Structures are given as C-alpha cells and as structure tokens.
Amino acid sequence: MRKTRQASGILKPVPSDLFVVHGPNAEMRWDAMPGQGLLVPNDRFFVRNHTRTPLIDARTWRLRLFGTGLRGAPTRARAVEFGYADLLDMPSRTLDAVIECAGNGRALFERQQGAAKPGIPWHLGAVGAARWRGVPLAAVLERAGLRPEAVDVLPAGLDPAYRVDGEDFGPVRRPLPVGKALDDVLVAYEMNGEPLPPDHGFPARLVVPGWVGVASIKWLGEIEVADRPLSSPWTTRFYRMAGPGYPAAGGPPLAEQVAKSAFELPWDARVPLGRPVVLTGRSWAPHGPVRAVEVSVDGGATWRPARLREGGAVWCRWEVEWCPDRTGPVTLAARAVDAAGVRQPAAAAPNDDGYLFDAAVQHRVQVA
Ligand SMILES: Nc1nc2c(c(=O)[nH]1)N[C@H]1C(S)=C(S)[C@@H](COP(=O)(O)O)O[C@H]1N2
Ligand SMILES: [Mo]
C-alpha cells in the first residue's frame, strides 16, 4: 500500500515510493523513474524549500520592479507592477529545462570520497526536468523600462524570511547579471501544462536554465534592477566554493551547474545472476545535449558506451545491457560526455559545503 506522507512545509504529498524527505525538502527517487517520459511529472518533482511553501492569491499578487537600472529609477514604494493577468496577456514562451540544486549529490562526497559535508544530504534526486511556460524575463524588464546601464537584477521570493541559528537572512533572493537575465530566463507561470503548483512557486517563478537551482526564485514578488552590482547572502555567504584552495571569502558565486548521470535503480538493488538485464539511466549537462554516456560494470575499470534514447534540451535517457556472471556486490558507474567532449571526472572537486558534485556516480548493486 502506498504511504501518503507529508513533509513539513511542503503542500503536496511526498509518498515514500516517490520521494526521500530531508526536513522541509524532498528529493525524487531515481528508482521510481524507469518508464517515465522525458519530463518529471509535477507530483514527482523534487522540492527545495528554505522555509515553507506559502499560499499566494493570484488575484492580489503583484510582481514589483524597481531600482536604478530602470528609467526614472523608481523606488520600491513606486515600483512598476505586473499582476497575474498582465503576465498571462504578454506573449509567452515554452521552455524545457532542468532545475537542479547546487548541492545535488552532496551525500556522494561522503560515500565516494570519504568526506562528509554539512547540508541537505541529497543523493542524486535534487533535480528535475519540466516544460515551463511563461514570459521571458527580458520582456518583463523591457516593459518595466530597463536602462542600458543596468548591471544586475535581484529577484526575491515571497516565502518567509530564512533564519538559521537566530540569524535572519531575509527572504530568499539572489542577484543575476543582466546578461543572463536577458538571455534565456523565464518568468514561468506554468509547469508541464498546469498552473505552477504552490510548492514550485505559484503564481510565478524564475527558471534560470543551466544555473544552480537557487537562481530559479520561486514565489517571485519583486525584482530590483540596479546600475551597480548587487549581492545577497545567497551570493556572499551561501553558494560559493569554500575550503582549501579557495579564497578566504570563497570562490565566485556559483553560477552554472555541472554534468551528472544517474541510474534508475535503488541503491543496493538486487540483480539476478546469469540473466541479461537492461540498466537505464539519465545524464545531463549545463551546456547543450549530452554527446555520449559510458557505463562501467566493474567499478570503473572498463567502460562501454550506453545506447542513447530520446534526449533533447533537458537530459538524455540511456540504457545498457548487462548479464551479471558472478554473485556478490558489484559497483556500476556511469559518466556523461558533454557537448564539448568533456567527460565526468572520477572525483569531484572537494569543497566545504558539498556543492557541484560531478564525479561519475558509483552505484552498488547486489547480484544474487
Ligand atoms: N523563494 C524561494 N525560491 C527558491 C527556493 C526557496 O526556498 N525560496 N529554493 C531554491 C532552491 S535552493 C532550489 S534548488 C530550487 C528548487 O526548486 P523546486 O522546489 O521547484 O524543485 O528553488 C529555488 N528557489
Ligand atoms: Mo538548491
């Protein structure tokens, strides 16, 4: 029987056959993905909430733009406003894109590299691909009166202020350079053909393709546009590389994601001896389609090419046949080769917070 479980602060059910819950967050179970289409259905999409999902009334909701990067430099009190109906009336665009948490794969730093990292212990399921529809952020900025002098935009969410250990960081917000904002960022109001579900940002969220998930601000409430660089705790304090080899203040704010590959199998899956099985999985990379995927059934000693199934802008699905010929534990591994020909490495760059794990995943199974 299916357990319908609720996680604190998430409104949709997060049943244990589809999700692994980490406090107010829930990751997608890759072993529930075989046979699913290219996109992740809304009821299966991972949730990362700094606090909790707010319920917002679209009738009174407003997106407010202000700052020195707009004509007339409106203040927050005199912001240029868009209502929900205004967004729906503007020309829309549809975009298939992956959203992935910068910490996806964090637990593998410990499992594969022997170094436990603080933070949400995601395995590989803090990622999802969906079909987003909305208005290009460029069109919203143009209509609000973008000046050529604008440098940064700072979108902020309407969820409660983020507090840790008594420190109040305010609402979740993170600056984006104007170049990226004008390129391919969407103010999305639809996810896989439905209005955005509350947990994924209703009534509107940003979708920032290829970038760390935190850039894709949910429950978008305001956007400051400035003619000088902006910052927030999400660029100064969180989401930069720290530790040996990085500057004391941290590396530059994280921007692009890294490539990953996942088997659609449970950890320690039981595989029957002497019978061919089809191993399936998916690989994704921030720049363009994945060119090839290689799979190892001997812990990374030898590699064979996987068969690529349908792919596209988001991720590619792949499969490989394997006939296990001895009993006991076996370490499978998968690595993607991206559009530029770069392969996932054997180890990810160590960093204190466990960001951007890009090593070939080592997935243990039991042959019996
Ligand atoms: N307002 C707001 N936006 C947010 C967050 C949040 O907590 N509040 N979490 C961010 C992070 S860290 C990630 S990885 C993505 C997750 O999007 P999802 O919950 O729709 O999967 O949303 C981002 N946008
Ligand atoms: Mo994230």
Side-chain angles (χ1 to χ4, degrees):
M1 209 185 68
R2 191 183 200 188
K3 293 191 212 97
T4 47
R5 215 170 128 196
Q6 217 75 36
S8 71
I10 300 179
L11 296 180
K12 70 182 179 185
V14 284
S16 52
D17 56 340
L18 299 182
F19 290 98
V20 177
V21 171
H22 306 284
N25 313 288
E27 76 174 290
M28 179 189 84
R29 291 184 70 122
W30 274 107
D31 50 306
M33 286 304 280
Q36 289 289 316
L38 203 55
L39 305 174
V40 177
N42 295 354
D43 64 343
R44 291 168 173 248
F45 208 92
F46 86 102
V47 180
R48 162 63 172 128
N49 280 351
H50 279 72
T51 58
R52 60 184 158 76
T53 295
L55 269 179
I56 295 171
D57 184 344
R59 289 166 305 184
T60 53
W61 172 83
R62 294 287 179 277
L63 173 59
R64 299 188 166 88
L65 286 91
F66 60 92
T68 55
L70 298 179
R71 277 197 297 279
T75 59
R76 186 186 262 117
R78 293 175 170 268
V80 180
E81 294 194 349
F82 293 79
Y84 192 55
D86 298 327
L87 284 189
L88 299 189
D89 280 346
M90 290 173 72
S92 74
R93 219 183 109 205
T94 299
L95 172 77
D96 289 358
V98 163
I99 290 185
E100 179 179 25
C101 190
N104 193 28
R106 180 177 286 122
L108 301 176
F109 275 102
E110 180 171 15
R111 194 187 273 257
Q112 290 189 198
Q113 302 186 195
K117 302 297 175 188
I120 308 165
W122 306 114
H123 278 246
L124 280 175
V127 63
R131 177 157 300 167
W132 311 95
R133 190 159 88 99
V135 179
L137 177 56
V140 172
L141 291 170
E142 289 305 332
R143 191 174 284 200
L146 185 69
R147 294 173 56 221
E149 291 78 12
V151 171
D152 271 355
V153 306
L154 178 53
L158 293 167
D159 40 340
Y162 180 54
R163 291 193 178 83
V164 222
D165 301 332
E167 201 172 340
D168 187 338
F169 295 102
V172 177
R173 62 199 187 286
R174 192 174 197 265
L176 268 180
V178 143
K180 179 66 176 172
L182 293 179
D183 180 18
D184 57 357
V185 178
L186 199 64
V187 179
Y189 48 72
E190 239 180 62
M191 179 177 183
N192 293 324
E194 292 167 19
L196 271 184
D199 293 313
H200 299 291
F202 183 85
R205 79 174 300 166
L206 289 191
V207 174
V208 183
W211 279 42
V212 288
V214 69
S216 293
I217 294 295
K218 304 194 278 188
W219 314 295
L220 192 59
E222 60 173 47
I223 305 177
E224 177 178 357
V225 186
D227 60 5
R228 64 193 157 78
L230 296 172
S231 68
S232 89
W234 283 266
T235 47
T236 57
R237 178 98 181 234
F238 317 120
Y239 298 98
R240 45 205 306 173
M241 295 291 225
Y246 296 105
L254 297 183
E256 272 168 349
Q257 282 289 359
V258 289
K260 283 191 194 60
S261 301
F263 287 95
E264 295 173 333
L265 274 178
W267 295 97
D268 279 320
R270 299 192 84 75
V271 184
L273 174 71
R275 257 189 274 153
V277 289
V278 178
L279 303 170
T280 64
R282 303 183 192 221
S283 297
W284 59 100
H287 307 287
V290 166
R291 183 191 286 184
V293 177
E294 297 161 343
V295 168
S296 171
V297 295
D298 54 14
T302 61
W303 298 84
R304 62 178 86 173
R307 231 179 356 263
L308 301 192
R309 299 171 63 200
E310 84 270 35
V314 284
W315 46 27
C316 77
R317 300 172 69 195
W318 46 262
E319 60 185 29
V320 73
E321 254 165 53
W322 176 44
C323 190
D325 58 5
R326 59 175 183 82
T327 57
V330 172
T331 300
L332 307 176
R335 64 185 186 195
V337 183
D338 75 8
V342 178
R343 227 172 223 97
Q344 284 183 252
N351 66 94
D352 286 355
D353 300 293
Y355 292 132
L356 303 187
F357 185 89
D358 63 349
V361 57
Q362 292 166 21
H363 194 127
R364 197 179 57 193
V365 298
Q366 301 291 341
V367 178

